[in-house]
Amino acid sequence: GQQLNQSPQSMFIQEGEDVSMNCTSSSIFNTWLWYKQDPGEGPVLLIALYKAGELTSNGRLTAQFGITRKDSFLNISASIPSDVGIYFCAGPQGGKLVFGAGTILRVKS
Amino acid sequence: GAGVSQSPSNKVTEKGKDVELRCDPISGHTALYWYRQSLGQGLEFLIYFQGNSAPDKSGLPSDRFSAERTGGSVSTLTIQRTQQEDSAVYLCASSRLTLGARTGELFFGEGSRLTVL
């Protein structure tokens, strides 16, 4: 099946810094989704992208659907301590979602 | 409640015992999904239901794993003769529709953490 490759695997950044992470696939996706998982919780949808080239914002988060449909990136501006967690990209495959391995974000306050 | 509910939240069992994990999806959600998350790992798909049928059970690791859904609502994931490698967080999610062009939002429960000693 299709695999989603996320990078970086983890990040340790200073509060207030901007963060960028991305997700690539060898196959085309028609939808890209970004989820965040807080410790001890289930993942929660942050942003959904449905159109190649689409740029979508949600507060301090901005995500883009790559023009080739094989990649997506997520930016977080002015990071704060509550941004810690695991960020997953995901895309539909058949009737299910497949997920990347995640980017672990740690923020130094 | 308004969200996906899973029970138990934590389960410690001995190797060789059977365990049942329960998921109560959001009311009205027709699709239900089970994923497994091992320590420090991503989300591994196990099975999904559309109504009471399971169109895709390709992710079940072995025949020790089974799942059912009744009444288009509650689902149970059963692991027989548990092994230590079964230790993980088992996440359930539901969605209003199966994934199509513009759906794709899965609502996850908090998970059931299984530890096999």
Side-chain angles (χ1 to χ4, degrees), chain A residues 1 6-7 14 31-32 38 40 46 57 60 66 74 87 89 91 95 102-103:
Chain A
Q6 282 190 250
S7 64
Q14 195 76 33
T31 300
W32 285 91
D38 290 328
L46 296 175
S57 293
R60 293 179 297 106
L74 175 70
Y87 292 79
C89 62
T103 293

Side-chain angles (χ1 to χ4, degrees), chain A residues 31 33 35 37 40-43 45 50 86 88 92 94-101, chain B residues 33 35 37 41-43 45 48 56 58 91 99 101-106 108-110:
Chain A
T31 300
L33 305 163
Y35 280 79
Q37 184 178 30
E41 307 271 333
L45 182 67
Y50 299 108
I86 308 176
F88 293 102
K96 62 184 182 287
L97 276 187
V98 292
F99 287 80
Chain B
Y33 306 79
Y35 287 84
Q37 186 175 27
Q41 301 295 313
L43 301 176
F45 169 78
Y48 91 89
D56 188 346
S58 63
L91 289 161
L99 297 176
R102 292 195 72 87
T103 53
E105 179 164 13
L106 301 189
F108 282 86
E110 294 187 346

Side-chain angles (χ1 to χ4, degrees), chain B residues 28-48:
Chain B
H29 280 196
T30 59
L32 185 148
Y33 306 79
W34 285 98
Y35 287 84
R36 178 168 74 173
Q37 186 175 27
S38 301
L39 187 63
Q41 301 295 313
L43 301 176
E44 176 189 6
F45 169 78
L46 299 178
I47 186 172
Y48 91 89

